[in-house]
Every structure is written in C-alpha cells, then in structure tokens.
Amino acid sequence: APARFPRDPLEQPPSLCILADSREISSGAEVISSLKAVHGVKVQVCSLGSSDYIVSSRMAVERRLLSELLSSGSRSKAAQQRLQRLQGTFERICVIVEKDRVKAGETSRLAQRTQHYDAVLAALLQAGVRLLFSSCQEETAALLKDLALVEQRKNAAIRVPTEVQGHQREMLSFYLSIPNLSYLAALNMCHHFGSVKKMVNSSPSDIAAGAQVSAQKAEEIFRYLRYAFDVEMLPEDLCAKGR
Amino acid sequence: PVTAASMVVPYGHVIGNEKWRGSEMAQKLQGKTRLIFEDGLGIVDFHISNRICILYISEADLVAGDEFKRRLVRFRNASSVGGIVIVEKTQISDQYFLAVQKLVVLELGMVLLPVANQGEASQLITQLVSFCISGQIFIKIQDTRRIPVREQSKDHNSNPFLRKQSSQLAEPSVFRTVQQIPGVGKTKALLLLQRFGSIHQLCNASVEELELVVGQTVARQIHSF
C-alpha cells in the first residue's frame, strides 16, 4: 500500500502579520518589539488612525489602559466615538485592557474597582466587543499574536503585502477615502484590482472577494461609488474655494 | 446534570444556584437585585436573563486543578445560551489567569471577566443585569453567530459604544475621494462632480469628455488612474 507521507516538516504556515498604528511606536513600544522579537510576527507600522492594531481582515484591536477605564474622564468620550467608528468599519472588535505600568519605587496604587469600570465592561459586551485582560505590554503582545493565530485558523489572516509603492500609494489613499473602509480592505483592493477603474466597475460580490469584506460592506461601497453627487448638499465651507 | 438551557428570568431578577445561599455574594446581590434561589441549575451559578448565565470560578477552583475546565467545556457543548465566566483573579490565582483566558475567550469563544473577590463580583453582576434590562447583551454562541435578538428598547441608545445609524450625507466624502485622484484639487473635483455626477461615471468617462472639464494633461491622468 502506498505509504502516506506526513506533510513536509519544512513547510511552515505563512508567517503572521499584524498592522500597528504609528502612535503605538511611542505608547506601546514594548508591544511591538516583543511581537517581533519574541513571537516572530511581522509588524507593519502604518498610520491606521482608526484603531491601534489590525490582526486580520476583519478584526481590529484597541489597547486600553486600566486607569483610563476606571475613571470617567474627558478622554472616555473620545474613546467612545472611536469605538463607534470602528464598529462601522470592522466586523470584529477586541479591546485589551492593560494594567498600567508601575514605576520603580512607586508603591503600587491599588486602584479601586469603580462602578464606572463595571458599567464600561457591561456596555462593551452589549456592543458585541470582545474583552481580554493583560498585566503588561509583553502580555498584550502575546494576546495579539493569539488573536492573529485564531483569525488565521478561520481564514481571515492578513495575506497581502503590506507595503505599497508608486502608483499603488495613490490608489491606496483613494480607497482609504471611502467612508468606513478599513486600512486592510483598502490594501486588499490595491493588490487585487489592477486599476481604480476596474474596482469602480466591479459588482458587489467582486468587491467582497477582492477587498475581503462582508457582502453588506461591499454593497455599501458599491452604492457609494454610484452615489449621485449634489453640489447643493455640500457644506458651504468645503466648496467655498471651488465656486 | 448539565442544565444550561434557556430559562425564564423575570424582569430585573437574578436566579441563583441554591449553593450560593448565605454567601457573601448572595448577600450583596440581594441588596441590589431581586435574587431567587433555585435547585437544579446544575453547573450554572446565576441566570441573569433568559439567555445569559454566569459561571463563577473561585480562587480555590483554579488552584484545585482542571475540574473547572471540564465544567466550562460541558457548559459550552450543552448550552443554547450565552455564558459569562467570572473568575477570581487574586495574588494566588494570578499565575493561572492567562491560561484560563486563552481557554475561555480564544478557544471556547465565551466572555471572561476577572474580579478580585465576591464583593467585586456582585457589583459587576449588578451592572450586567442593568445592561441586560436596557437591551440584550450580545453573547457569542457559535463561532460566528451572535444572538441576533436585540430589543430596541428606549434605553438602548444610552450605550455609548453602540454605533448610531448615521444619516450623514455622502457629499463631503465623495468630494474628498475625488480629490485623491492625482492632479485633482478642490476646484477640479467640484467641476468634475458637477459634470459627471458620481465616482462611477467619472471613472468611466473618456479622455475627450474629461477634456471638456479639465485640461488635456489632467484628463489623461484621470483616465489612466
């Protein structure tokens, strides 16, 4: 009987790729370096704007410090708006709650769990957001890698080259200006459609396949491209120069 | 027995497993919610709504070994309802936390919330109950499926994280998108949109048609974009 050969041991699954927002270079330097050094993940830093990390074609991850969630400060309002926008852009959102770093010599301020904090957790769950808890930046990196691995198993891994050059750069900024489109979906479009004209003339199902987005999102993009522009509806301040 | 089917929970009530009677958690919950004890909840500790229950893992459970894992897997396999796992994360049980989180969230797809003690747990459950009342909490049952029922109660809009259906006009966005075409600024974008109406029609315009609006060079640039 023909022997069944095991899979080539040298054949490795494609390496994991995670996109990180450029602001994370300063606020989460150890997350990025430990993703690269400890976990061997390819980290592409780009200006995502919308989210801290993108781990798959459908999942965005926000990194939040515990202290931010404990207090109901002015920053929480901005954070709420950010999450609302994310929900328009991504199918899945995960928030990693990370413990604040305690400086050497500083006595650990045992932060009191607040009612506000519990309400935030409940509200996030209600909004369908996944929650993970981390005690330091290194742990956050491990969690990001685990999330990317799970998404890879579900066939949603980031597979396109993350760098763009020349004409592709212009195409990318064109796609990025489409409302509620994630950076990765725009990147997928760049690599999948040879030209903008081809993309604009695609059917919703072609858009869904090319950009790797849901059918609903593809329909939204399709309608946007055919939206009948009415100058009268343009806010005054925008068209002042044009007139 | 594994009892993890959905259960009728009266509005604003929590149904607790008989084994919690007299505990610190039960006492604190009783002050804030209407807690009813019932036999035969099996592996579930609390039902906070018809479709969401809570499994509590104590510090002792974590230290004792893998029994709690079997309980979670049994729940996951048997249940038709969403499960929230509340785990006691203390100095002693901290070392087990990461592994438990990986199992519960990443492998079983359930919700995990850490607390330091029963007092914190009762405060958290109280908040969860109040959010259950104001609208259904989304809890994943199967890998990709969420409980779709979400009652549109009047309190629903009070959740700051839920996306509001925006009725914003697309004009400013379309205007911005057209300006991303090389050679096109505000003035030309406006002229082009007035003439062609949509991004789709603009992209399908011939060089000749484009030349009527913008110069030869830009017309070619747009056409080849």
Coordinates of all heavy atoms in Angstrom, one line a residue, chain B residues 90-178:
Chain B
T90 N -6.7 36.6 41.9 CA -6.0 37.1 43.1 C -4.5 36.9 43.0 O -4.1 36.3 42.0 CB -6.6 36.3 44.4 OG1 -6.2 35.0 44.2 CG2 -8.1 36.4 44.5
Q91 N -3.8 37.3 44.0 CA -2.4 37.1 44.0 C -2.0 35.6 43.9 O -1.1 35.2 43.2 CB -1.8 37.6 45.3 CG -1.5 39.1 45.2 CD -0.8 39.6 46.4 OE1 -1.0 39.1 47.5 NE2 0.0 40.7 46.3
I92 N -2.9 34.8 44.5 CA -2.6 33.3 44.4 C -3.0 32.7 43.1 O -2.3 31.9 42.5 CB -3.4 32.6 45.6 CG1 -2.8 33.1 46.9 CG2 -3.2 31.1 45.4 CD1 -3.7 32.7 48.1
S93 N -4.1 33.2 42.5 CA -4.6 32.5 41.3 C -4.1 33.2 40.0 O -4.4 32.8 38.9 CB -6.1 32.5 41.3 OG -6.7 33.8 41.2
D94 N -3.4 34.3 40.2 CA -2.9 35.1 39.1 C -2.2 34.3 38.0 O -2.3 34.5 36.9 CB -2.0 36.3 39.6 CG -1.9 37.3 38.5 OD1 -2.9 37.6 37.8 OD2 -0.8 37.9 38.4
Q95 N -1.3 33.4 38.6 CA -0.5 32.6 37.7 C -1.3 31.7 36.7 O -0.8 31.3 35.6 CB 0.4 31.7 38.5 CG -0.3 30.9 39.5 CD 0.6 30.0 40.3 OE1 1.5 29.4 39.8 NE2 0.3 30.0 41.6
Y96 N -2.6 31.4 37.0 CA -3.4 30.6 36.1 C -4.2 31.4 35.2 O -4.8 30.9 34.2 CB -4.4 29.7 37.0 CG -3.7 28.9 38.0 CD1 -3.8 29.3 39.4 CD2 -3.0 27.7 37.7 CE1 -3.2 28.5 40.4 CE2 -2.4 27.0 38.7 CZ -2.5 27.4 40.0 OH -1.9 26.6 41.0
F97 N -4.2 32.7 35.4 CA -5.2 33.6 34.7 C -5.0 33.5 33.2 O -6.0 33.3 32.4 CB -5.1 35.0 35.2 CG -6.1 35.9 34.4 CD1 -7.5 35.8 34.7 CD2 -5.7 36.7 33.4 CE1 -8.4 36.6 34.0 CE2 -6.6 37.5 32.7 CZ -8.0 37.4 33.0
L98 N -3.8 33.7 32.7 CA -3.6 33.7 31.2 C -4.1 32.5 30.5 O -4.7 32.5 29.5 CB -2.1 34.0 30.9 CG -1.6 35.4 31.0 CD1 -0.2 35.5 30.5 CD2 -2.5 36.3 30.1
A99 N -3.8 31.3 31.1 CA -4.2 30.1 30.5 C -5.7 30.0 30.5 O -6.3 29.5 29.5 CB -3.6 28.9 31.3
V100 N -6.4 30.4 31.6 CA -7.8 30.3 31.6 C -8.4 31.3 30.6 O -9.4 30.9 29.9 CB -8.3 30.7 33.1 CG1 -9.9 30.8 33.1 CG2 -7.9 29.8 34.1
Q101 N -7.8 32.5 30.5 CA -8.3 33.4 29.5 C -8.3 32.9 28.1 O -9.2 33.0 27.3 CB -7.5 34.7 29.6 CG -7.9 35.8 28.5 CD -7.4 37.2 28.9 OE1 -8.2 38.0 29.4 NE2 -6.2 37.4 28.6
K102 N -7.1 32.2 27.8 CA -6.9 31.6 26.5 C -8.0 30.6 26.2 O -8.6 30.5 25.1 CB -5.5 31.0 26.4 CG -5.1 30.8 25.0 CD -3.6 30.5 25.0 CE -3.2 30.2 23.6 NZ -1.7 29.9 23.4
L103 N -8.3 29.7 27.2 CA -9.3 28.7 27.0 C -10.7 29.3 26.8 O -11.4 29.0 25.9 CB -9.3 27.8 28.2 CG -10.4 26.7 28.3 CD1 -10.2 25.6 27.3 CD2 -10.6 26.2 29.7
V104 N -11.1 30.2 27.7 CA -12.4 30.7 27.7 C -12.7 31.6 26.5 O -13.7 31.4 25.8 CB -12.7 31.5 29.0 CG1 -14.1 32.2 29.0 CG2 -12.6 30.6 30.2
V105 N -11.8 32.6 26.3 CA -12.1 33.5 25.2 C -11.7 33.1 23.8 O -12.5 33.1 22.9 CB -11.4 34.9 25.5 CG1 -11.8 35.9 24.5 CG2 -11.8 35.4 26.9
L106 N -10.5 32.6 23.7 CA -10.0 32.2 22.4 C -10.4 30.9 21.9 O -10.7 30.7 20.7 CB -8.5 32.4 22.3 CG -7.9 33.8 22.6 CD1 -6.4 33.8 22.7 CD2 -8.4 34.8 21.6
E107 N -10.5 29.9 22.8 CA -10.9 28.6 22.4 C -12.4 28.3 22.5 O -13.0 27.8 21.6 CB -10.1 27.5 23.1 CG -8.7 27.4 22.6 CD -7.7 26.7 23.6 OE1 -8.2 25.7 24.2 OE2 -6.6 27.1 23.7
L108 N -13.0 28.7 23.6 CA -14.5 28.4 23.7 C -15.3 29.6 23.2 O -16.5 29.4 23.0 CB -14.8 28.2 25.2 CG -14.1 26.9 25.8 CD1 -14.5 26.8 27.3 CD2 -14.4 25.7 25.1
G109 N -14.7 30.7 23.0 CA -15.5 31.9 22.5 C -16.5 32.4 23.5 O -17.6 32.9 23.1
M110 N -16.2 32.3 24.8 CA -17.1 32.8 25.8 C -16.5 34.1 26.3 O -15.5 34.5 25.9 CB -17.3 31.8 26.9 CG -18.1 30.6 26.5 SD -17.8 29.2 27.6 CE -18.8 29.8 29.0
V111 N -17.3 34.8 27.2 CA -16.8 36.0 27.8 C -16.2 35.7 29.1 O -16.6 34.9 29.9 CB -18.0 37.0 28.0 CG1 -17.5 38.2 28.7 CG2 -18.6 37.3 26.7
L112 N -15.0 36.4 29.4 CA -14.3 36.2 30.7 C -14.1 37.5 31.4 O -13.7 38.5 30.7 CB -13.0 35.5 30.5 CG -12.2 35.3 31.7 CD1 -12.6 34.1 32.4 CD2 -10.7 35.2 31.4
L113 N -14.5 37.6 32.6 CA -14.3 38.9 33.4 C -13.6 38.6 34.7 O -14.2 37.8 35.5 CB -15.7 39.6 33.6 CG -16.4 40.0 32.4 CD1 -17.9 40.4 32.7 CD2 -15.7 41.1 31.6
P114 N -12.5 39.2 35.0 CA -11.8 38.9 36.2 C -12.3 39.8 37.4 O -12.6 41.0 37.1 CB -10.3 39.2 35.9 CG -10.4 40.2 34.8 CD -11.7 40.0 34.0
V115 N -12.4 39.3 38.6 CA -12.7 40.1 39.8 C -11.7 39.6 40.9 O -11.1 38.6 40.8 CB -14.2 39.8 40.3 CG1 -15.2 40.3 39.2 CG2 -14.4 38.3 40.6
A116 N -11.6 40.5 41.9 CA -10.7 40.1 43.0 C -11.4 39.3 44.1 O -10.7 38.5 44.7 CB -10.1 41.4 43.6
N117 N -12.7 39.5 44.2 CA -13.4 38.7 45.3 C -14.9 38.7 45.0 O -15.4 39.3 44.0 CB -13.1 39.4 46.6 CG -13.3 40.9 46.6 OD1 -14.4 41.4 46.1 ND2 -12.4 41.7 47.1
Q118 N -15.7 38.1 45.9 CA -17.1 38.0 45.7 C -17.8 39.4 45.7 O -18.8 39.6 45.1 CB -17.7 37.1 46.8 CG -17.4 35.6 46.6 CD -18.2 34.7 47.4 OE1 -19.2 35.1 48.0 NE2 -17.7 33.5 47.6
G119 N -17.2 40.3 46.5 CA -17.8 41.6 46.6 C -17.8 42.3 45.2 O -18.8 42.9 44.8
E120 N -16.6 42.2 44.6 CA -16.5 42.8 43.3 C -17.4 42.1 42.3 O -18.0 42.8 41.4 CB -15.0 42.7 42.8 CG -14.1 43.8 43.4 CD -12.8 43.9 42.7 OE1 -12.6 43.2 41.6 OE2 -11.9 44.6 43.2
A121 N -17.5 40.8 42.4 CA -18.3 40.1 41.5 C -19.8 40.5 41.6 O -20.5 40.7 40.6 CB -18.2 38.6 41.8
S122 N -20.2 40.8 42.8 CA -21.6 41.2 43.0 C -21.9 42.5 42.4 O -22.9 42.8 41.7 CB -22.1 41.2 44.5 OG -21.4 42.2 45.1
Q123 N -20.9 43.4 42.5 CA -21.0 44.7 41.8 C -21.1 44.6 40.3 O -21.9 45.3 39.6 CB -19.8 45.6 42.3 CG -19.9 47.0 41.8 CD -18.6 47.8 42.2 OE1 -18.1 47.7 43.3 NE2 -18.0 48.5 41.2
L124 N -20.2 43.7 39.8 CA -20.2 43.5 38.3 C -21.5 42.9 37.8 O -22.0 43.3 36.8 CB -19.0 42.6 38.0 CG -18.8 42.2 36.5 CD1 -18.6 43.4 35.6 CD2 -17.6 41.2 36.4
I125 N -22.0 41.9 38.6 CA -23.2 41.2 38.1 C -24.4 42.2 38.1 O -25.2 42.2 37.2 CB -23.5 40.0 39.0 CG1 -22.5 38.9 38.8 CG2 -24.9 39.5 38.7 CD1 -22.6 37.7 39.7
T126 N -24.4 43.1 39.1 CA -25.4 44.1 39.2 C -25.4 45.0 37.9 O -26.4 45.3 37.3 CB -25.2 45.1 40.4 OG1 -25.0 44.2 41.6 CG2 -26.4 46.0 40.6
Q127 N -24.2 45.4 37.5 CA -24.1 46.2 36.2 C -24.5 45.4 35.0 O -25.2 45.9 34.1 CB -22.6 46.7 36.0 CG -22.2 47.8 36.9 CD -23.0 49.1 36.7 OE1 -23.5 49.3 35.6 NE2 -23.2 49.8 37.8
L128 N -24.1 44.1 35.0 CA -24.5 43.3 33.8 C -26.0 43.1 33.8 O -26.6 43.2 32.7 CB -23.9 41.9 34.0 CG -22.4 41.8 33.8 CD1 -21.8 40.4 34.1 CD2 -22.0 42.2 32.3
V129 N -26.6 43.0 35.0 CA -28.1 42.9 35.0 C -28.8 44.1 34.5 O -29.7 44.1 33.6 CB -28.6 42.6 36.4 CG1 -30.1 42.6 36.5 CG2 -28.1 41.2 36.8
S130 N -28.2 45.3 34.9 CA -28.9 46.5 34.4 C -28.7 46.7 32.9 O -29.6 47.3 32.3 CB -28.3 47.7 35.2 OG -27.0 48.0 34.7
F131 N -27.6 46.2 32.3 CA -27.5 46.3 30.9 C -28.3 45.3 30.2 O -28.8 45.5 29.0 CB -26.0 46.1 30.5 CG -25.3 47.5 30.4 CD1 -24.7 48.0 31.5 CD2 -25.3 48.2 29.2 CE1 -24.1 49.3 31.5 CE2 -24.7 49.4 29.2 CZ -24.1 50.0 30.3
C132 N -28.6 44.1 30.8 CA -29.5 43.1 30.3 C -30.9 43.7 30.1 O -31.6 43.5 29.2 CB -29.6 41.9 31.1 SG -28.3 40.8 30.9
I133 N -31.2 44.5 31.1 CA -32.6 45.1 31.1 C -32.7 46.2 30.0 O -33.7 46.3 29.3 CB -32.9 45.8 32.5 CG1 -32.9 44.7 33.6 CG2 -34.2 46.5 32.5 CD1 -33.0 45.2 35.0
S134 N -31.6 46.9 29.8 CA -31.7 48.0 28.9 C -31.5 47.5 27.4 O -31.6 48.3 26.5 CB -30.6 49.1 29.2 OG -29.4 48.6 28.9
G135 N -31.3 46.3 27.2 CA -31.1 45.7 25.9 C -30.4 44.4 26.0 O -29.8 44.2 27.0
Q136 N -30.5 43.6 25.0 CA -29.9 42.3 25.1 C -28.4 42.4 25.0 O -27.8 43.1 24.1 CB -30.4 41.4 24.0 CG -30.0 40.0 24.1 CD -31.2 39.2 24.8 OE1 -32.3 39.5 24.6 NE2 -30.8 38.2 25.5
I137 N -27.6 41.8 25.8 CA -26.2 41.7 25.7 C -25.9 40.7 24.6 O -26.5 39.7 24.5 CB -25.5 41.3 27.0 CG1 -25.7 42.3 28.0 CG2 -24.1 41.0 26.7 CD1 -24.8 42.1 29.3
F138 N -25.0 41.1 23.7 CA -24.6 40.1 22.7 C -23.6 39.1 23.3 O -22.6 39.5 23.8 CB -23.8 40.9 21.6 CG -24.6 41.6 20.6 CD1 -24.3 42.9 20.3 CD2 -25.6 41.0 19.9 CE1 -25.0 43.6 19.4 CE2 -26.3 41.7 19.0 CZ -26.0 43.0 18.7
I139 N -24.0 37.9 23.2 CA -23.0 36.9 23.6 C -22.9 35.9 22.5 O -23.9 35.4 22.0 CB -23.5 36.2 24.9 CG1 -23.7 37.2 26.0 CG2 -22.5 35.1 25.3 CD1 -22.4 37.8 26.5
K140 N -21.7 35.6 22.1 CA -21.5 34.6 21.1 C -22.0 33.2 21.5 O -21.7 32.8 22.6 CB -20.0 34.5 20.7 CG -19.7 35.3 19.6 CD -18.3 35.1 19.1 CE -17.4 34.2 20.0 NZ -16.3 33.6 19.4
I141 N -22.7 32.5 20.7 CA -23.0 31.1 21.0 C -22.1 30.3 20.1 O -21.3 29.5 20.6 CB -24.4 30.7 20.7 CG1 -25.4 31.8 21.0 CG2 -24.8 29.5 21.4 CD1 -26.8 31.5 20.7
Q142 N -22.2 30.4 18.9 CA -21.3 29.6 18.0 C -20.2 30.6 17.5 O -20.3 31.8 17.8 CB -22.1 29.1 16.8 CG -23.1 28.0 17.1 CD -22.4 26.8 17.7 OE1 -21.4 26.4 17.3 NE2 -23.0 26.2 18.8
D143 N -19.3 30.0 16.8 CA -18.1 30.8 16.4 C -18.5 32.1 15.8 O -17.9 33.1 16.2 CB -17.3 30.0 15.5 CG -16.4 29.0 16.3 OD1 -16.2 29.3 17.5 OD2 -15.8 28.1 15.7
T144 N -19.3 32.1 14.8 CA -19.5 33.3 14.1 C -20.9 34.0 14.4 O -21.2 35.0 14.0 CB -19.5 33.1 12.6 OG1 -20.3 32.0 12.3 CG2 -18.0 32.8 12.2
R145 N -21.7 33.2 15.2 CA -23.1 33.7 15.3 C -23.2 34.4 16.7 O -22.8 34.0 17.7 CB -24.0 32.5 15.3 CG -25.2 32.7 14.5 CD -25.9 31.5 14.1 NE -25.7 30.3 14.9 CZ -26.5 29.9 15.9 NH1 -27.6 30.5 16.1 NH2 -26.2 28.8 16.5
R146 N -23.9 35.5 16.6 CA -24.2 36.2 17.8 C -25.7 36.1 18.0 O -26.4 35.9 17.0 CB -23.8 37.7 17.8 CG -22.4 37.9 17.8 CD -22.2 39.4 17.7 NE -20.8 39.7 17.7 CZ -20.3 40.8 17.1 NH1 -21.2 41.7 16.6 NH2 -19.0 41.1 17.1
I147 N -26.1 36.2 19.2 CA -27.6 36.2 19.4 C -28.1 37.4 18.7 O -27.7 38.6 19.1 CB -27.9 36.3 20.9 CG1 -27.3 35.1 21.7 CG2 -29.4 36.4 21.2 CD1 -27.4 35.2 23.2
P148 N -28.9 37.2 17.7 CA -29.3 38.4 16.9 C -30.4 39.2 17.6 O -30.6 40.4 17.2 CB -29.9 37.7 15.6 CG -30.3 36.4 16.0 CD -29.5 36.0 17.2
V149 N -31.1 38.6 18.5 CA -32.2 39.4 19.1 C -31.7 40.6 19.9 O -30.9 40.4 20.8 CB -33.2 38.6 20.0 CG1 -34.3 38.0 19.2 CG2 -32.4 37.5 20.7
R150 N -32.1 41.7 19.6 CA -31.7 42.9 20.4 C -32.9 43.8 20.4 O -33.2 44.4 19.5 CB -30.5 43.5 19.7 CG -29.9 44.6 20.6 CD -28.6 45.1 20.0 NE -29.0 45.8 18.7 CZ -28.1 46.4 18.0 NH1 -26.8 46.3 18.2 NH2 -28.5 47.0 16.9
E151 N -33.5 43.8 21.5 CA -34.7 44.6 21.6 C -34.3 46.1 21.6 O -33.4 46.5 22.2 CB -35.4 44.3 22.9 CG -36.7 43.6 22.7 CD -36.7 42.2 23.2 OE1 -35.9 41.3 22.7 OE2 -37.4 41.9 24.2
Q152 N -35.1 46.7 20.8 CA -34.9 48.2 20.6 C -35.6 48.9 21.7 O -36.6 49.6 21.5 CB -35.3 48.6 19.2 CG -34.7 49.8 18.7 CD -33.2 49.6 18.4 OE1 -32.9 48.6 17.8 NE2 -32.4 50.6 18.7
S153 N -35.1 48.8 22.9 CA -35.7 49.5 24.0 C -35.3 50.9 24.0 O -34.3 51.3 23.4 CB -35.4 48.8 25.3 OG -34.1 49.2 25.6
K154 N -36.0 51.7 24.7 CA -35.7 53.2 24.7 C -34.3 53.4 25.4 O -33.7 54.4 25.1 CB -36.8 54.0 25.3 CG -37.0 53.7 26.8 CD -38.1 54.7 27.3 CE -38.3 54.6 28.8 NZ -38.8 53.3 29.3
D155 N -33.9 52.5 26.2 CA -32.7 52.7 26.9 C -31.5 52.4 26.0 O -30.4 52.6 26.3 CB -32.6 51.8 28.2 CG -33.6 52.3 29.2 OD1 -33.9 53.5 29.2 OD2 -34.0 51.4 30.0
H156 N -31.8 51.8 24.9 CA -30.8 51.2 24.1 C -29.8 52.3 23.7 O -28.6 52.0 23.6 CB -31.4 50.6 22.9 CG -30.5 49.8 22.1 ND1 -30.7 49.5 20.8 CD2 -29.3 49.2 22.4 CE1 -29.6 48.8 20.3 NE2 -28.8 48.6 21.3
N157 N -30.3 53.4 23.4 CA -29.4 54.5 22.9 C -28.4 55.0 24.0 O -27.5 55.8 23.7 CB -30.2 55.6 22.4 CG -30.8 55.3 21.0 OD1 -30.2 54.5 20.3 ND2 -31.9 55.9 20.7
S158 N -28.7 54.6 25.2 CA -27.8 55.0 26.3 C -26.4 54.4 26.3 O -25.5 54.8 26.9 CB -28.5 54.8 27.6 OG -28.6 53.4 27.9
N159 N -26.3 53.3 25.5 CA -25.0 52.6 25.5 C -24.1 53.4 24.5 O -24.3 53.5 23.3 CB -25.1 51.2 24.9 CG -23.8 50.5 25.0 OD1 -22.7 51.1 25.0 ND2 -23.8 49.2 25.0
P160 N -23.0 54.0 25.1 CA -22.2 54.9 24.3 C -21.3 54.2 23.3 O -20.8 54.8 22.4 CB -21.3 55.5 25.4 CG -21.2 54.5 26.5 CD -22.6 53.9 26.5
F161 N -21.2 52.8 23.4 CA -20.4 52.1 22.4 C -21.1 51.6 21.2 O -20.5 51.0 20.3 CB -19.7 51.0 23.2 CG -18.8 51.5 24.2 CD1 -19.1 51.2 25.6 CD2 -17.6 52.2 23.9 CE1 -18.2 51.7 26.6 CE2 -16.8 52.7 24.9 CZ -17.1 52.4 26.3
L162 N -22.5 51.6 21.3 CA -23.2 51.1 20.2 C -23.2 52.1 19.1 O -23.4 53.3 19.3 CB -24.6 50.8 20.6 CG -24.8 49.4 21.2 CD1 -26.2 49.2 21.7 CD2 -24.4 48.3 20.3
R163 N -23.1 51.6 17.9 CA -23.0 52.5 16.7 C -24.4 53.1 16.4 O -25.3 52.4 16.3 CB -22.5 51.7 15.5 CG -22.2 52.6 14.3 CD -21.8 51.7 13.2 NE -21.7 52.5 12.0 CZ -22.0 52.0 10.8 NH1 -22.4 50.7 10.6 NH2 -21.9 52.7 9.7
K164 N -24.4 54.4 16.3 CA -25.7 55.0 15.9 C -25.8 55.0 14.4 O -24.8 55.2 13.7 CB -25.7 56.5 16.4 CG -25.2 56.7 17.8 CD -26.3 56.8 18.8 CE -25.8 57.1 20.2 NZ -24.7 56.2 20.7
Q165 N -27.0 54.7 13.9 CA -27.1 54.7 12.5 C -27.1 56.2 12.1 O -27.9 57.0 12.4 CB -28.5 54.1 12.1 CG -28.5 52.6 12.0 CD -27.4 52.1 11.0 OE1 -27.1 52.7 10.0 NE2 -26.9 50.9 11.3
S166 N -26.0 56.5 11.4 CA -25.8 57.9 11.0 C -26.5 58.1 9.6 O -26.5 57.3 8.8 CB -24.4 58.2 10.9 OG -23.8 57.5 9.9
S167 N -27.1 59.3 9.5 CA -27.8 59.6 8.3 C -27.0 60.7 7.6 O -27.5 61.7 7.1 CB -29.2 60.1 8.6 OG -29.2 61.1 9.5
Q168 N -25.7 60.6 7.8 CA -24.8 61.7 7.2 C -24.8 61.7 5.7 O -24.9 60.6 5.1 CB -23.4 61.5 7.7 CG -23.2 62.3 9.0 CD -21.7 62.3 9.4 OE1 -20.9 61.5 8.8 NE2 -21.4 63.1 10.3
L169 N -24.8 62.8 5.2 CA -24.7 62.9 3.7 C -23.4 62.4 3.2 O -22.3 62.6 3.8 CB -24.9 64.4 3.3 CG -26.3 64.9 3.5 CD1 -26.4 66.4 3.4 CD2 -27.3 64.3 2.5
A170 N -23.4 61.8 2.0 CA -22.2 61.3 1.4 C -21.4 62.4 0.7 O -20.2 62.1 0.3 CB -22.5 60.1 0.5
E171 N -22.0 63.5 0.4 CA -21.3 64.5 -0.4 C -19.9 64.9 0.0 O -19.0 64.8 -0.8 CB -22.2 65.8 -0.5 CG -23.1 65.9 -1.7 CD -24.3 65.0 -1.5 OE1 -24.5 64.5 -0.4 OE2 -25.1 64.8 -2.5
P172 N -19.7 65.2 1.3 CA -18.3 65.6 1.7 C -17.3 64.5 1.4 O -16.2 64.7 1.0 CB -18.4 65.9 3.2 CG -19.9 66.3 3.4 CD -20.6 65.4 2.4
S173 N -17.8 63.2 1.7 CA -16.8 62.1 1.4 C -16.5 61.9 0.0 O -15.4 61.7 -0.4 CB -17.5 60.8 2.0 OG -17.9 61.0 3.3
V174 N -17.6 62.0 -0.9 CA -17.4 61.8 -2.3 C -16.4 62.9 -2.8 O -15.5 62.6 -3.6 CB -18.7 61.9 -3.1 CG1 -18.5 61.9 -4.6 CG2 -19.6 60.7 -2.7
F175 N -16.6 64.1 -2.3 CA -15.8 65.3 -2.7 C -14.3 65.0 -2.3 O -13.4 65.2 -3.1 CB -16.3 66.5 -1.9 CG -15.7 67.8 -2.3 CD1 -15.5 68.1 -3.7 CD2 -15.3 68.7 -1.3 CE1 -14.9 69.3 -4.0 CE2 -14.7 69.9 -1.7 CZ -14.5 70.2 -3.0
R176 N -14.1 64.4 -1.1 CA -12.8 64.1 -0.7 C -12.2 63.0 -1.5 O -11.0 63.0 -1.8 CB -12.8 63.7 0.8 CG -11.7 64.3 1.6 CD -11.9 63.9 3.1 NE -13.2 64.4 3.6 CZ -14.0 63.6 4.3 NH1 -13.7 62.3 4.5 NH2 -15.2 64.1 4.8
T177 N -13.0 62.0 -1.8 CA -12.4 60.8 -2.6 C -11.9 61.3 -3.9 O -10.8 60.9 -4.4 CB -13.5 59.7 -2.7 OG1 -13.9 59.3 -1.5 CG2 -13.0 58.6 -3.5
V178 N -12.7 62.1 -4.6 CA -12.3 62.6 -6.0 C -11.0 63.4 -5.9 O -10.2 63.3 -6.8 CB -13.5 63.4 -6.6 CG1 -13.0 64.1 -7.9 CG2 -14.7 62.5 -6.8

